[in-house]
Every structure is written in structure tokens, then in C-alpha cells.
Amino acid sequence: MARIYHKTSVDDIHASFTWSTAPLSKRLPNLDRTQNHKKRKTHDVDDIREPDRQCLCLDTEIRGVRIKPAVRLVGRDVDLHVIDGGDEREFNGAGDNEQGECTVNKRAAKIYKQFFLDIIEEAPNQRSAELGSYLMIPVDMRGELVRPELLQTAELPFELAQYCVCTLEQWEMHFDRLFPVSATAAARSPGCQNYGKCTYYSDYLTLARVISVKFLAKTRQALRVEFDKLVWVPYTQWDRIWSTRKMDTSSWKALPSGTKGGPLIGINLRRAWERVTLRAFDQPHEGDQLVADSEGEMED
């Protein structure tokens, strides 16, 4: 038998028929996916924006708002903490009353600016880890493009999308979910996904706790004026900002036509006359990215 197989021994014959099974390499996730499954807060918009960007201001000035005085912690342990070089702690982190209206206007404007970054950072991914986000904005452009203008056009920045024109009641429902009428109302229906990880949402609830219900209503009205300028928003659910469940009713339309799936989008009834389309972005080629990475390594 050894002669037939041109081997010197039977052991050599067995060895020639023994196949090594090398483990398949693990498929890496698509780098374009949004990192919305990580247990972390969204980035602070001021940390990723160019320093010369013009500050966002709300069209409606919030007047007469007073911030509740901070409850300062006192006691022997606090005194020892300060003596040892620590800072004095405030229970609710409220600002100085003397800054009053100016503080609330700035905080509300920051919250609204942060809102756009957060909903893009939490935008849904396609189911397979090998596929990217439904979002078509290149990763390196997202921080720059996440501003009100992105949602003030009927060009949706997604690969697939499902949309419907909201009634006035539905549009108000989305606003109330995104900017609750009170911190107490938000606590009664805490979001399991998206809401709790959004920096704007935490900042909004913090502000809601240090101003009265009356003044929060004024703040929400100023935010509502800006919100009504938008053409589209995520079609929110009570427990999440984004949903991708397939909608088959006649009031829903899909883009591209004939497809199924994609993030749910609510269109502002006031802008229902605009033609809804998908927005294309120039995508970096893999080869270009490799060259950029290698150049970066050389510079280091």
C-alpha cells in the first residue's frame, strides 16, 4: 500500500489524508454603524464642533424665568471635604439666580443644539453587523452636519426609510415624548432605549427640575417654535426614539419605492406638500481610507 501511494510507511499515508482545520476569521462589524448599543451617553456637541461655529439661538426669548436656588450640602463631612481641598457640592446643580433669564435661554439653546447630535448618534443600524447604519452620512461628516438644517429638508439621510405625514396631534405627541411636560412625567414612562442615553434629554430633565412648571411651559413653547420648523423627526415610540418595524398600512410609504424596512420617519403636516426623497452623500472608498490611515501612521 505504501508503494501505491508513493509513501515509505502506513503512518505517512495517514498523515497525507489528515486535513488541518484552520478556524475561520471572525467577521468584523461594519465601521459605519452607529454605536447605539454601547451603555454610554452621547457625545457633548460642544466637544466635537469647530470652535468658530456660530452659536445657535432660539427665536423666542424666554423671559421672567427664575431658577430654583440650589440646596447646598452642609455638615461636618462636607466641611472636612472642603478643608482637604475638595469642592463644595450642590444638591441639584442649579445655576445662580442672578443670571436667571440668560442662563435659561442659553441652556435651552444648548439642549436644542444637542438634540440633533443625539438623534443621529442613536440612529438605527441594519440588522446584520456586517452592514452599516441606515444612516448615509459618512462617519467623519456626522458631527459637522448634525444641525437643524438637516431636519429642515425633505431629503432623508438614510439608505432606506418608511415615512408618514403626521396629524397635528401626532406631531405634538412626538414633541411631548422628546421634550416631556415635566420631569415627573418623564419618570413615569422612562425610555428603555435611546432616551436615557441622550445627553440632551438628561440636560432637559435637569433644567426641568430647577424651574417651575410655569417657567418650563415657557421654555417648551420656545423649543416648540423651533421644533415646528422641522420637516421630519423620528417617529418616536413611548420607550424609544427610533423604530424600524415594518409598516404595511396605506398611510405609510417606503423609500426607495417597493422596499420594506428602514427607520420610521414622521413628516410635519405643515410641510406635507414637499416631495420626500432620500439624500445621497459621497462615500469614502475603502482604498482611500487605507491611504489616509497609512498617512496618519507615517505622521505619527
Side-chain angles (χ1 to χ4, degrees), residues 72-73 76-90:
R72 190 173 300 278
L73 300 180
R76 181 174 180 275
D77 291 341
V78 177
D79 293 338
L80 290 174
H81 172 74
V82 175
I83 292 173
D84 291 337
D87 57 341
E88 295 186 64
R89 303 296 176 89
E90 293 180 349

Side-chain angles (χ1 to χ4, degrees), residues 9-298:
S9 67
V10 175
D11 289 338
D12 290 340
I13 295 173
H14 285 300
S16 66
F17 284 95
T18 301
W19 297 88
S20 61
T21 56
L24 295 175
S25 59
K26 184 178 179 181
R27 293 178 177 177
L28 297 176
N30 192 302
L31 297 180
D32 288 338
R33 294 174 71 80
T34 53
Q35 304 302 309
N36 55 11
H37 286 295
K38 292 185 176 181
K39 294 181 179 180
R40 57 149 180 82
K41 290 287 186 182
T42 52
H43 293 95
D44 189 305
V45 67
D46 287 341
D47 292 338
I48 65 171
R49 284 284 170 83
E50 294 294 333
D52 59 349
R53 174 172 291 280
Q54 185 176 2
C55 294
L56 185 150
C57 296
L58 304 182
D59 283 351
T60 306
E61 187 175 0
I62 306 168
R63 293 180 175 274
V65 177
R66 293 192 180 91
I67 297 177
K68 297 175 184 177
V71 178
R72 190 173 300 278
L73 300 180
V74 295
R76 181 174 180 275
D77 291 341
V78 177
D79 293 338
L80 290 174
H81 172 74
V82 175
I83 292 173
D84 291 337
D87 57 341
E88 295 186 64
R89 303 296 176 89
E90 293 180 349
F91 181 75
N92 59 13
D96 190 340
N97 278 347
E98 294 180 0
Q99 297 181 354
E101 296 175 5
C102 179
T103 300
V104 172
N105 277 281
K106 287 183 176 179
R107 289 173 70 169
K110 169 66 185 303
I111 288 167
Y112 193 62
K113 180 173 67 171
Q114 181 71 44
F115 165 71
F116 296 98
L117 175 64
D118 290 355
I119 63 173
I120 292 302
E121 282 204 1
E122 292 299 307
N125 293 311
Q126 300 189 56
R127 180 165 296 184
S128 171
E130 297 173 43
L131 300 176
S133 169
Y134 284 110
L135 194 66
M136 290 297 291
I137 305 175
V139 174
D140 60 350
M141 294 175 60
R142 290 174 187 173
E144 182 64 21
L145 293 181
V146 285
R147 42 186 170 172
E149 291 82 359
L150 184 66
L151 279 69
Q152 289 175 351
T153 172
E155 296 178 324
L156 308 179
F158 300 100
E159 183 176 347
L160 299 173
Q162 305 171 88
Y163 72 93
C164 76
V165 176
C166 295
T167 63
L168 294 178
E169 291 76 16
Q170 288 171 330
W171 189 255
E172 183 175 0
M173 172 190 70
H174 294 310
F175 177 76
D176 289 344
R177 286 172 174 170
L178 295 166
F179 301 97
V181 295
S182 68
T184 304
R188 284 199 296 264
S189 58
C192 299
Q193 295 183 23
N194 304 136
Y195 293 104
K197 293 191 295 182
C198 289
T199 300
Y200 97 88
Y201 195 77
S202 298
D203 291 347
Y204 175 81
L205 295 184
T206 298
L207 178 61
R209 294 186 184 102
V210 297
I211 59 178
S212 68
V213 173
K214 174 185 175 181
F215 292 143
L216 179 59
K218 286 187 175 184
T219 304
R220 293 182 75 246
Q221 179 56 35
L223 291 170
R224 179 64 184 270
V225 170
E226 305 298 327
F227 190 79
D228 286 345
K229 297 176 185 177
L230 305 179
V231 174
W232 64 271
V233 294
Y235 199 92
T236 62
Q237 309 298 309
W238 71 271
D239 63 339
R240 65 192 68 191
I241 293 176
W242 288 104
S243 176
T244 57
R245 61 193 177 106
K246 295 178 181 178
M247 307 298 289
D248 296 323
T249 60
S250 59
S251 60
W252 285 88
K253 296 181 180 179
L255 290 173
S257 180
T259 59
K260 292 184 178 181
L264 305 188
I265 302 295
I267 303 296
N268 188 347
L269 180 62
R270 302 169 184 84
R271 305 288 290 274
W273 51 270
E274 297 190 35
R275 180 171 177 264
V276 182
T277 61
L278 297 179
R279 181 176 177 181
F281 294 85
D282 291 332
Q283 302 295 324
H285 297 291
E286 184 176 356
D288 296 339
Q289 185 61 46
L290 290 175
V291 171
D293 292 342
S294 63
E295 289 177 350
E297 293 175 359
M298 291 176 64

